[in-house]
Amino acid sequence: MRTRSIAVILTAAVGLGLLTGRFVLPGHSAPDHPSPAAKPADGPVTEGSLLAADAFRKAGVPKPVHVRDRVGDGRYANAACAGEKTLGQTLGGPGAHFRGFVTTEDTDAEDPTLAVDIKDQVAREVAADAGNPTLAQNYAERLLLEEVPCQTEPAGHWIYGPTHTVGVAPGIAANWMGSYDGDLNTAGTAPRGKEPCGGIAVLRNGSHYGVLEVDTCLDTAAMTRIVRAAVTRL
């Protein structure tokens, strides 16, 4: 487990951004495809705020995708890098909405949003309402900063690639990093010119914030479409 203070991670992230240009804080860039109809969310997160299973069918997932929902607390990031923590431990506050996208009926007895076999896990989304856009922005930045160290790992360890920004409208934006298997990590950073296999996104829409982990193998174009759909719906 890595234990790093937000200040230490922020310093490292800023340094990484200055040296490589790979890191971008969420929510400050102009929308890349402005959507005049999109208005920032306000109020409680509901099941309708979460991504629909049909989005993965459109992304090319061949098997039927089942949705499993719950409300409460729980882990939200890959423990092999960011550390085993719950959303409540990181940010505090009330319970969040968890949605698992799975291709099986065999899910964890304690957390039905998780497939027993990781190969059956398509994705998992966690979302909550921060109460106001400023706090949601703060939460999104903190959640993204936690994942930044995963962009630098020893050769042979799975790794996240560069940070991509998806802007939908003012106050509606996401940042995502692609995931690469350890056999593609030969120099301690993500390989250039290679497509990712899924990844992780941090979402913010008005007062709502969330994390989307994609376990199925989606490339850059498909990940961008999924992330855009998720943050727009949020």
Side-chain angles (χ1 to χ4, degrees), residues 52-78:
D54 190 55
F56 291 97
R57 180 188 64 79
K58 294 177 180 178
V61 176
K63 295 182 179 180
V65 177
H66 309 287
V67 169
R68 296 292 180 267
D69 291 308
R70 72 176 181 84
V71 176
D73 195 13
R75 70 171 182 83
Y76 59 91
N78 195 316

Side-chain angles (χ1 to χ4, degrees), residues 70-101:
R70 72 176 181 84
V71 176
D73 195 13
R75 70 171 182 83
Y76 59 91
N78 195 316
C81 175
E84 185 69 54
K85 292 191 296 183
T86 70
L87 195 66
Q89 287 172 330
T90 298
L91 302 176
H97 281 257
F98 288 71
R99 171 165 289 182
F101 300 90

Side-chain angles (χ1 to χ4, degrees), residues 103-203:
T103 58
T104 179
E105 298 290 341
D106 190 14
T107 57
D108 190 288
E110 296 183 358
D111 187 346
T113 67
L114 293 170
V116 171
D117 189 333
I118 187 60
K119 290 184 294 185
D120 297 321
Q121 190 83 36
V122 175
R124 189 164 177 262
E125 185 176 9
V126 183
D129 177 41
N132 63 72
T134 299
L135 192 55
Q137 173 75 21
N138 175 271
Y139 284 174
E141 289 181 359
R142 288 168 63 184
L143 290 168
L144 183 61
L145 286 170
E146 266 202 333
E147 304 302 327
V148 168
C150 306
Q151 292 178 315
T152 305
E153 290 288 345
H157 191 284
W158 73 266
I159 198 166
Y160 284 146
T163 306
H164 303 269
T165 301
V166 176
V168 175
I172 305 175
N175 289 76
W176 69 270
M177 305 173 187
S179 182
Y180 295 84
D181 289 339
D183 58 355
L184 295 176
N185 174 15
T186 60
T189 58
R192 295 189 178 186
K194 298 290 185 180
E195 286 293 331
C197 185
I200 190 167
V202 176
L203 320 169

Side-chain angles (χ1 to χ4, degrees), residues 50 92 185 219-220 223:
L50 304 180
N185 174 15
D219 62 13
T220 299
M223 277 293 296

